[in-house]
Amino acid sequence: MVDQEAKTTHNKTTGLPRKRFYRARAHSNPLSDSHFPVPLFPSQFDYSLHYPHFFPASSEHDSSKRIQFADIGCGFGGLLVSLSTLFPDTLMIGMEIRDKVTEYVKERILGLRATNPGQYQNISVVRTNSMKYIPNYFGKGQLRKMFFLFPDPHFKEKNHRRRVISPHLLDEYAYALAEGGIIYTITDVEELGEWMKGCLEDHPMFEVLGEEELEADPVVKLLSSATEEGQKVARNGGQTFRAIYRRITP
Amino acid sequence: MADEDIPMEEGGEDNKELEVAPALIAIHPSQKSLAVAVGSDLRVYDLHEGCALSLVDESCKSYHKDSIRAIRYGVNGQLFVSAGDDKIVKIWLSNSWHCIGTICCEKRVSAIAISNDGLYVCFADKFGVVWLINLEEKDGIFSLVNEKAVPMLSHYCSIITSLEFSPSGQYIVSADRDFKIRVTMAPKRPLGGAHEIHCFCLGHSEFVSCLDFVSSPDCQEGFLVSGSGDSTVRLWDITTGSLLDTCEVGAKAGLLESNEKEEGNFYAVTDLSAVPECTTIAVAIQSFKGIILLSCNISVKSLSITKMISLSGEAFIPTCLGISMSENVLWMIMGISKLQGLDCSSLIRIRAISGIKQSNEEEPIVLEDSEVPGGKKLLDKLQGSISIQENAYLAASEALKKAMSSLLIKKQYSVVNREIRKRTRNDRKLKQ
């Protein structure tokens, strides 16, 4: 990308990308197999490309650090940016299926890294279909936290199978999460909130977090405030529905 | 390729190719009978009695109405299952050939498996969901508990090409067209779903087409072998998910030209079969007129090609293999339904190789038609006695290869073509 183009798509003062140049439809069909490269297995994922600060040379893997937080459907990256400074030593990844939105998040992270030396080195984004390729990116029990913020509700009953939280997909998320790892879901659509809670409740490998634990977890407050979607809901005075569960052995 | 000049014809052609289904063969564990499926036709031959069998379906529905995609005998030999594009799974008792259950599915069925104890039949639908049917056994006779299948696990939006229960029964292995093999713990209460994924066996770079287990006297589970569209056969330890060895069958068999490899023109492994009581694996691969034998070295955990058996005579490229547990014969079939330009409705050719276990220095021998168990009578009943021209075999192999690609390989559209295809989408609101 040439500087010439960057000057118009990015804000001159902050160096951050301007959203209107990265507009995309809110919905993307998770059933269509668009073409983006997917690692064949987790160790093929190029950590040095995404986290150069932690992995200086691509041939050496002295660091045994692995991604521990995954934001599924990260949108414009709001949650990742908030979590980055809260957990500066934890590697995190955002997964987004929309091409332009992924580009926006990439540019946003690069911009933040440039203007805040030493910071934001632990977050990155990848364009992928997380409903199909979670096992390609993450080994068994690798993740400590998984986030599903304001997922597409897919209102029609015939499209319920496209929902990112479903009884069968929870098997894969349980596989990627370590025992004790936490899955965070939030939505402003009541029916979807009921659905996600029901799926998690019925799944033998998840148990609900108690009130005291939720109070003590600094991440919980970010769910409704950190993302653009969450802020929009708050502006409109909407209600949100959370389902936060822990991965257990069945 | 002039993509711009070929807009929508692709769509129509694909549909025709998808209807073409390969012929299938399955052998009873003690070689008591043999079943062959081509298109919607299911033919069974009794080797002990020496006659063709008729299937009894008391529900009075004609058997399968569309291409059968999977047939299988249970390990104990009492059960036989057939399923396919008509979205129906039929369970048969292989003694009387009575159909004890017809289960309707929402989608076309792509793979089936029977648990080692015969109490569960699993089938996978086109959307990647694996369903479970519960059976019960009373006085040695099996019957259906419930005609309704229960969803057990799923490979999201992927066609499952192969389903297997591990030899110990501890795991259920499922392979899909997105290069993945999933190993799931067999649950204590299968009807509640199989939620605990044990591991994934990742490494293939194209669709996985077939699975089998190589037995080992030392290791209860043995090793998993898988064949793929990437021209390789891989050896896995399912207790850890690790890739033990990769055998580049296509390359080593001299099938791939270097330029063809660059174009991505791989010859897919279409079927493989581990030979019981030994470490031999028989492999069928596109374009090879015969069988390639691999040997698995259990202690070193490796695979190597030991023999390439070419079949002389017509251009016989098998796409489905079968071996019984007890006999020393490898059965192979090549066939197709609805081949364009063919006078008869289908083409089937069955061949066999004896001495496949290679015990006591025995060499495998390709059997002539008269030497095949059941002899010419079996071949007449199962193949039909119409003589088929050489070019029909070649045409059939080409059509089968195209159909397999069409079904299992993701189509790559150029940006221009993708935009053209998007024009026909029907979910957008029309702008006034």
Side-chain angles (χ1 to χ4, degrees), chain A residues 31 35 132-133 140 171, chain B residues 157 180 195 198 410-411:
Chain A
L31 302 179
H35 284 278
K132 290 185 82 153
Y133 302 119
K140 189 175 189 181
D171 294 348
Chain B
C157 256
K180 291 211 269 287
H195 297 286
H198 180 68
K410 279 183 263 231
K411 296 191 226 316

Side-chain angles (χ1 to χ4, degrees), chain A residues 79-88 92 120-123:
Chain A
L79 181 69
L80 283 172
V81 169
S82 306
L83 285 174
S84 174
T85 45
L86 212 59
F87 300 88
M92 315 175 188
Y120 302 105
Q121 293 290 340
N122 58 338
I123 55 172

Side-chain angles (χ1 to χ4, degrees), chain A residues 25 30-31 33-35 40-42 129 131-136 140 161-163 166-175 202-205 247 249-250, chain B residues 107 127 129-130 151-158 177-180 182 194-200 202-206 410-413 418 425 427-428:
Chain A
R25 287 173 63 232
L31 302 179
D33 282 329
S34 17
H35 284 278
L40 280 181
F41 36 82
N129 183 344
M131 291 163 84
K132 290 185 82 153
Y133 302 119
I134 290 272
N136 296 67
K140 189 175 189 181
R161 68 179 188 194
R162 300 187 195 184
R163 287 178 166 173
S166 75
H168 293 307
L169 282 169
L170 282 176
D171 294 348
E172 292 200 3
Y173 306 150
Y175 168 84
D202 290 343
H203 199 281
M205 288 165 84
R247 154 69 158 105
T249 22
Chain B
K107 302 272 174 195
F127 198 64
V129 181
V130 176
M152 189 174 66
L153 60 88
S154 138
H155 287 225
Y156 187 71
C157 256
S158 194
R177 62 108 102 166
D178 285 295
F179 326 170
K180 291 211 269 287
R182 169 175 155 171
H195 297 286
E196 200 179 342
I197 300 175
H198 180 68
C199 66
F200 282 90
L202 304 176
H204 276 299
S205 54
E206 224 353 302
K410 279 183 263 231
K411 296 191 226 316
Q412 303 236 16
Y413 297 109
R418 210 181 303 158
R425 44 186 299 186
D427 60 339
R428 234 185 220 159

